[in-house]
Amino acid sequence: MPLRAADAVGTLGTDADRPLTGEWSEARILRWLREDDEPRLATLWQAADTVRRRTVGDPVHLRGLIEVSNHCARTCAYCGINARNTALRRYRMNHAEIMASAQQAVGLGCGTVVMQAGEDDGIRADWLADAIRAIKAEYGLAVTLSLGERLVDELAGWREAGADRYLLRFETSDAALYARIHPPRAGRTCDRFAILGTLRALGYEVGSGVMVGIPGQRYESLARDIRLFAELDLDMIGVGPFVPHPATPLGGAADAADATMDQVPNTAAMACKVVALARLVRPDANIPSTTALATIDRVGGYAAGLRCGANVVMPNVTPAEYRRCYEIYPAKVCLHDEFTATRAALEERLGRLGRYIATGPGHRLRGC
Ligand code: SAM
């Protein structure tokens, strides 16, 4: 019989202040976020890894990331492709380039492509629907979209065209912080939680998540974010450290963050705590070891994520000339480069962690 998250967590001697019921209150999550004792943290990694193995298992799903466009209408204070960054060369991939990237994803062993972009009105609904249909027909891949806050009709049309999943991070549940870093578009409201509900109603698998260590982010709000992962019943949870981009209002701000406040650090260790807790509160979700984690810990980032609860990695199959321009933060590591672009190299790297490449589309296996 599969072990429930509660059982695995029940082996944690570190939660000794109360019986281990497997219930994840905000207070309990908060205690783990503040935990700095290495031996205790080792038990957290181990508990998350145990739950990961008993639920989604050792296969690692590869999602081929296609950064379709770096045009963006938004002025997010954290993101290097925001509309105010005039130094950036802008691009939008064409249909043939997208298909070539999808083919490359198939060659690597990906069961899914993730089409991601800035909030780009130049990505027309019918044009993208054609691309979705073509990828499904030609390669049979699952299609995930990550295109920001699009209109309901667009989301519905893409679902009808065959898109399987949608990723939209809520970034932080602290409404005041969110308003500061993610100004709404003129004439529109900006409610990512409402859009997540719409996506669910349309039949998408729904992914969301947060950045860890945004300047101004407090421990309490991060604990609430993690509770929300469970309450929203997310199919996919993406968590990465905030990486400052010098051409943004928050560039360099992490160092300058108010030392008097209860600031969450944007460290690899903190990101790993959030990945591990995400696995424990939402045992059957698909959780990537993210590029941002690998960027701030270039040696061990990917492996660390996979060891503390993650079961997905996202090789970047965007053409190199565009990849350089999709600079949401500087010095972004690309799994695809790192792994010398072959399936064998990926297999070898995962094999060293006792893991292997998954087959199939990698939908969420509910209640596994
Ligand atoms: N426009 C879409 C959206 O907003 O969801 C997708 C593209 S956006 C660049 C994808 C994700 O990149 C965001 O959800 C955010 O969490 C992450 N991101 C952007 N800037 C970042 C930064 N400086 N550090 C870490 N992650 C960042």
Side-chain angles (χ1 to χ4, degrees), residues 89-112:
R89 185 169 76 82
R90 302 283 170 169
Y91 73 87
R92 188 176 298 121
M93 289 172 69
N94 65 33
H95 185 91
E97 289 168 332
I98 290 173
M99 293 306 284
S101 287
Q103 187 174 27
Q104 208 181 348
V106 172
L108 280 176
C110 300
T112 301

Side-chain angles (χ1 to χ4, degrees), residues 343-362:
R343 184 187 163 99
L346 271 169
E347 258 162 0
E348 200 268 327
R349 185 91 172 246
L350 292 175
R352 275 190 258 145
L353 302 171
R355 312 285 278 278
Y356 56 92
I357 297 177
T359 53

Side-chain angles (χ1 to χ4, degrees), residues 72-124:
C72 192
R74 306 303 292 259
T75 55
C76 302
Y78 50 87
C79 184
I81 66 170
N82 83 77
R84 296 215 171 103
N85 185 359
T86 51
L88 196 63
R89 185 169 76 82
R90 302 283 170 169
Y91 73 87
R92 188 176 298 121
M93 289 172 69
N94 65 33
H95 185 91
E97 289 168 332
I98 290 173
M99 293 306 284
S101 287
Q103 187 174 27
Q104 208 181 348
V106 172
L108 280 176
C110 300
T112 301
V113 283
V114 180
M115 288 201 267
Q116 192 182 86
E119 216 164 284
D120 177 10
D121 295 333
I123 296 179
R124 289 195 337 272

Side-chain angles (χ1 to χ4, degrees), residues 310-331:
N311 70 318
V312 171
V313 291
M314 297 173 67
N316 194 321
V317 292
T318 312
E321 58 180 304
Y322 297 141
R323 215 182 299 161
R324 273 191 288 280
C325 302
Y326 198 83
E327 201 196 50
I328 55 182
Y329 45 78

